[in-house]
């Protein structure tokens, strides 16, 4: 982490330069500077956080991540002696009658940044379509929506689904819950069971899209789970803040993000936007490099495809997407769609962290 | 608007030049010239329009639109602070057991000229196929055709469909009714209900393809709707004229187009052809630049993808398609198909209105 931004940065414009961000001296100085900075008067939200929380929140500063260094650090080396699966196996839980693009984007993106195997668990309707997008994915048509299940069968169908998913679960390095999940109550109940099952197995869990709708209404699903990452966009973040903190959104200062993280407890939150803000309940890190002015649906699903360990994973995912989006925009301008961005994920990673032969 | 064409132009060949078209002096002179021009003897059609209509129709002149300026004017700026959806959300209502290409072309074209989200509402058979064309689209399998609905269920199914569509409707900036809709009576009845629902919600509505078949037989669906645009090709135009004006088609003069517009009331009509003629009931504007000699099925569906506000939207859509078609033809010659044209929509827009970083 380096280069602070926000109100503090306005008074120290000399720290905006990229050269400074790379200087170890500067980074060490920062630690000193932080303790000397006056507290930010625009802290927290109108609800009453604990006093210890307030003290920490008031001193909050957002640091720009040295995201390229993070990508280089966490990208596993390529090694000819390794076997299939050792570079990562992920599973996306999502895809229903209405939505098939989002789970596809998430699953294929994981492969495009180097994962070996990418699974999708979705409904039968969605499975046929997602399979047809790409032969690279392993697609399991095992979820069910209310319309396809009789009331008296719900219990048995639900436990059958959990058993099916559970026998795969142990193999995954990460699960992504939510892209294209939809809002069907029966389906969401089944997914809640899957999340409860994944937790004692210590499987890192990224929650995105409709998974955030589920978690907003049932924060207990991720409460205290240090292996959970929530990745809300501005609308999803607003709903989370309203429900969990019971107040209005404050986008200007990082204190509310810290408060949200602490209130849920343990989780990492990445608030996607013009800048991506990543918070683990203690610090807020920002990734603002690259990026594209296009806001085509599906970009967020790319991000969900690779995360571990928590904050570092968020930073790396953010940078890889932003760089790919920027390259895709350079080529396709206003006509850029998510598929164009995914095409550049490989180059995005290669530019930062070249694969040696 | 500038440069008059047609019979008048033949007597004033000096006004054909493009430089003239850009001259404000020329444009001001035109207003004067229009009032001085002798009335065109070949006006109106054989039925008897009101005398005030005839007076206006007889003085009608077709102006070539300064279409590039229109595109530059109505293309929203790219702004990094914007969120997903703010550059436009459109919905295509179409796609049945027989037709899946047309709604796909319309929906993907909207994304390719910069919209953020593009939905399709179609039958279940069509949905699986349209989804598999592209993960970028959000496809709702909610329409039904007669063959899949029992007679005694029609009422309840019809209202269920309306409820489903209605809950999305408010989010859309524009709906496109008709590409690949087919002619099933039950399905068309459902779509009539959807159109009646969209109208009080003030949602701009483009009617194309089989939607024009529906509207030709039920002009009340768009009567007096200033947010409706009809985009007939020559065959669809002929049927409209026969049904609404009860006379034969007259392609040579613009008066009939004005009469048609006024008889339906309020709507904007874009008659697609060698030149695209756009009429709001008062003036007729033409877009004749570029264009391609290929007439592959599906080109009209591209056009339906982006419109608002009415006439300007028609002009911009016309130009972007014509330019893309021209570029695609240059590359693919006789083998040009609609997918090739869509590939050039981005370049077509970028050439006219470059996206700044």
């Amino acid at each position: 982490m380096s280069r602070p931004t926000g109100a503090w940065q306005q008074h120290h414009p000399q720290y905006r330069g990229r050269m400074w961000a790379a200087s170890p001296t500067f980074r060490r100085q920062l630690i000193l500077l932080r303790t000397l900075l006056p507290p930010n008067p625009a802290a927290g939200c109108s609800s009453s956080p604990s006093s210890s929380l307030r003290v920490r929140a008031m001193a909050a500063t957002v640091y720009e991540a040295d995201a390229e260094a993070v990508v280089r650090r966490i990208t596993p080396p390529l090694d000819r002696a390794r076997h299939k699966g050792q570079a990562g196996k992920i599973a996306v839980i999502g895809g229903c009658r209405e939505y098939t693009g989002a789970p596809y984007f998430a699953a294929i993106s994981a492969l495009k940044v180097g994962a070996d195997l990418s699974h999708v668990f979705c409904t039968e309707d969605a499975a046929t379509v997602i399979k047809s997008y790409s032969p690279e994915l392993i697609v399991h048509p095992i979820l069910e929506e209310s319309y396809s299940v009789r009331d008296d069968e719900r219990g048995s169908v639900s436990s059958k689904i959990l058993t099916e998913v559970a026998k795969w679960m142990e193999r995954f390095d990460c699960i992504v819950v939510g892209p294209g999940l939809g809002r069907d109550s029966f389906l969401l109940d089944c997914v809640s069971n899957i999340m409860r099952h994944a937790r004692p197995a210590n499987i890192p869990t990224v929650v995105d899209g409709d998974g955030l709708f589920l978690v907003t209404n049932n924060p207990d699903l991720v409460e205290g789970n240090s292996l959970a990452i929530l990745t809300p966009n501005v609308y999803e973040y607003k709903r989370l803040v309203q429900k969990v903190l019971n107040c209005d959104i404050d986008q200007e200062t990082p204190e509310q993000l810290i408060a949200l993280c602490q209130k849920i407890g343990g989780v990492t939150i990445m608030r996607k936007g013009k800048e991506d803000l990543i918070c683990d309940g203690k610090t807020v890190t920002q990734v603002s490099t690259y990026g594209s002015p296009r806001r085509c649906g599906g970009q967020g699903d790319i991000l969900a495809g690779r995360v571990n360990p928590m904050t570092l994973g968020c930073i790396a995912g953010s940078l890889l997407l932003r760089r790919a989006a920027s390259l895709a925009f350079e080529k396709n301008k206003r006509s850029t769609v998510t598929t164009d961005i995914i095409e550049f994920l490989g180059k995005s990673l290669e530019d930062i962290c070249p694969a040696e032969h």
Side-chain angles (χ1 to χ4, degrees), chain A:
Chain A
M1 278 186 280
S2 55
R3 193 152 68 95
T5 57
W8 185 85
Q9 194 196 41
Q10 290 166 18
H11 303 294
H12 301 77
Q14 71 273 30
Y15 293 122
R16 278 186 199 147
R18 296 209 85 219
M19 288 310 292
W20 271 103
S23 148
T25 319
F26 171 68
R27 264 179 256 152
R28 272 178 235 119
Q29 281 181 336
L30 262 186
I31 295 163
L32 189 66
L33 275 169
R34 266 179 90 184
T35 61
L36 301 174
L37 278 175
N40 189 331
C45 71
S46 56
S47 72
S48 54
S50 72
S51 68
S52 74
L53 165 63
R54 183 177 291 157
V55 169
R56 263 184 286 160
M58 286 170 91
T61 310
V62 179
Y63 294 92
E64 178 76 21
D66 186 353
E68 297 201 3
V70 169
V71 169
R72 278 190 285 269
R73 177 168 154 202
I74 72 171
T75 302
L78 288 164
D79 180 348
R80 281 164 204 280
R82 287 197 183 202
H83 305 299
K84 181 168 76 180
Q86 291 186 324
K89 298 180 292 294
I90 81 134
V92 176
I93 299 174
C96 62
R97 198 160 78 138
E98 243 168 346
Y99 304 114
T100 52
Y104 162 72
F105 290 142
I108 199 77
S109 298
L111 293 180
K112 294 284 187 179
V113 294
D116 283 342
L117 293 166
S118 199
H119 292 244
V120 176
F121 292 85
C122 59
T123 68
E124 191 147 1
D125 306 299
T128 315
V129 176
I130 295 172
K131 287 174 183 183
S132 78
Y133 290 148
S134 168
E136 317 288 346
L137 306 176
I138 301 158
V139 184
H140 307 260
I142 61 172
L143 300 181
E144 299 275 0
E145 290 181 78
S146 303
Y147 76 89
S148 64
V149 182
R150 284 210 322 266
D151 280 0
D152 61 324
E153 292 176 335
R154 290 191 164 211
S156 64
V157 171
S158 176
S159 42
K160 202 184 133 217
I161 289 172
L162 182 60
T163 310
E164 276 291 308
V165 181
K167 73 181 182 201
W168 287 94
M169 197 65 83
E170 289 287 333
R171 317 186 188 188
F172 298 127
D173 301 303
C174 174
I175 63 171
V176 181
V177 177
L181 201 54
R183 308 234 168 142
D184 180 76
S185 61
F186 177 72
L187 195 152
L188 291 183
D189 282 349
C190 293
V191 172
S192 301
N193 291 339
I194 295 171
M195 289 180 77
R196 286 191 194 98
H197 180 88
R199 190 158 172 179
N202 288 323
I203 299 166
T205 302
V206 180
V207 185
D208 189 49
D210 292 316
L212 289 167
F213 171 80
L214 177 62
V215 160
T216 299
N217 295 319
N218 307 275
D220 61 294
L221 287 172
V222 290
E223 230 167 61
N225 185 354
S226 62
L227 293 175
I229 296 173
L230 317 184
T231 57
N233 64 21
V234 64
Y235 306 112
E236 292 154 347
Y237 182 75
K238 191 175 169 184
R239 280 194 293 269
L240 256 180
V241 166
Q242 285 170 341
K243 186 82 178 192
V244 174
L245 292 184
N246 197 26
C247 69
D248 273 340
I249 191 173
D250 164 23
Q251 288 214 64
E252 298 313 310
T253 53
E255 284 71 25
Q256 193 174 57
L257 178 55
I258 296 178
L260 179 66
C261 240
Q262 293 184 346
K263 185 75 182 277
I264 298 174
V267 302
T268 301
I269 297 178
M270 169 147 129
R271 199 184 85 187
K272 301 177 287 194
K274 192 167 150 244
E275 298 90 23
D276 295 328
L277 293 179
I278 299 145
C279 179
D280 60 0
K282 292 185 273 304
T283 58
V284 178
T285 311
Q286 160 179 300
V287 180
S288 67
T289 44
Y290 306 107
S292 145
R294 275 285 279 156
R295 295 288 174 266
C296 46
Q299 286 189 52
D301 305 310
I302 295 177
L303 206 52
R306 183 192 176 85
V307 176
N308 182 40
M310 310 302 112
T311 301
L312 295 183
C314 288
I315 293 168
S318 170
L319 181 73
L320 291 174
L321 165 60
R322 296 173 76 91
R323 196 182 170 107
S326 171
L327 291 167
F329 183 78
E330 224 164 85
K331 181 181 171 196
N332 301 284
K333 305 293 177 180
R334 283 188 172 84
S335 78
T336 309
V337 291
T338 302
T339 304
D340 301 319
I341 299 171
I342 287 170
E343 233 173 70
F344 277 104
L345 280 174
K347 183 172 164 47
S348 178
L349 176 55
E350 181 62 16
D351 286 350
I352 297 166
C353 183
E356 322 80 39
H357 270 282

